[in-house]
């Protein structure tokens, strides 16, 4: 089996994202793979279903700009070029699948918070990515400071 060549790293840009990025870096260093970073933002209209009688486009744009800046900083530390940095509006699992396919990725690395109970029944982004991916998926168990 040959190593991975192109790794898509799905980041939620939380404090724990560095754990996911570190694991992806380790794999890339061992296999010589290129890293592509992605952050998916769910449209505010998904969360509120259009029930709010106001234009949320400015807020959405601010969220996207902040995410792009955070992703740019992470990418810059690793020397990842801008064309391999993606901030996308949409449903996270669907967009990660699309980006992985379009970019020819052979591994997707995402974080998993290991939630229990009701969160497991409702599903998660990690679960959605795992069950629809056309390539290998590594779910990195992230730990919060209080764990």
């Amino acid at each position: 089996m040959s190593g991975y060549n192109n790794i898509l790293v799905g980041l939620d840009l939380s404090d724990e994202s560095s754990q996911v990025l570190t694991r992806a870096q380790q794999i890339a260093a061992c296999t010589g793979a290129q890293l592509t970073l992605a952050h998916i933002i769910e449209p505010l209209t998904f969360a509120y279903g259009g029930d709010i009688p106001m234009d949320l486009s400015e807020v959405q744009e601010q969220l996207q700009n902040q995410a792009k800046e955070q992703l740019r900083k992470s990418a810059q530390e690793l020397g990842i070029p801008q064309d391999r940095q993606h901030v996308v509006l949409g449903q996270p699992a669907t967009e990660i699948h699309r980006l992985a396919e379009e970019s020819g990725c052979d591994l997707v690395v995402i974080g998993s918070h290991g939630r229990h109970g009701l969160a497991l029944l409702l599903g998660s982004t990690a679960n959605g990515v795992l069950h629809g991916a056309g390539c290998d998926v590594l779910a990195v168990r992230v730990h919060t400071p209080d764990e």
Side-chain angles (χ1 to χ4, degrees):
M1 181 178 115
S2 63
Y4 296 110
N5 296 306
N6 194 357
I7 300 171
L8 176 64
V9 186
L11 300 172
D12 65 4
L13 301 178
S14 66
D15 291 340
E16 293 82 28
S17 286
S18 63
Q19 296 170 47
V20 177
L21 200 48
T22 297
R23 185 58 49 93
Q25 275 181 277
Q26 291 168 341
I27 295 168
C30 290
T31 64
Q34 294 184 18
L35 293 177
T36 298
L37 305 183
H39 174 71
I40 314 302
I41 301 172
E42 286 194 79
L44 293 173
T45 54
F46 282 15
Y48 299 106
D51 291 341
I52 297 178
M54 59 188 282
D55 182 9
L56 297 173
S57 59
E58 188 173 320
V59 174
Q60 189 79 62
E61 187 176 336
Q62 288 175 352
L63 289 171
Q64 286 178 268
N65 289 337
Q66 289 171 354
K68 285 178 184 176
E69 181 59 23
Q70 280 185 270
L71 199 67
R72 185 194 63 76
K73 286 178 183 176
S74 294
Q76 187 175 23
E77 290 174 17
L78 301 174
I80 298 171
Q82 189 170 2
D83 66 332
R84 298 183 75 82
Q85 303 169 36
H86 304 277
V87 173
V88 179
L89 199 60
Q91 196 282 328
T94 301
E95 294 303 324
I96 288 173
H97 294 153
R98 183 186 60 76
L99 282 171
E101 187 174 325
E102 285 179 3
S103 302
C105 293
D106 45 15
L107 176 66
V108 173
V109 179
I110 53 173
S112 175
H113 294 276
R115 294 188 174 92
H116 305 284
L118 187 58
L120 280 178
L121 294 174
L122 296 175
S124 67
T125 298
N127 192 41
V129 171
L130 177 65
H131 290 290
C135 63
D136 291 350
V137 176
L138 172 63
V140 176
R141 174 76 164 96
V142 296
H143 300 280
T144 57
D146 59 339
E147 289 183 66

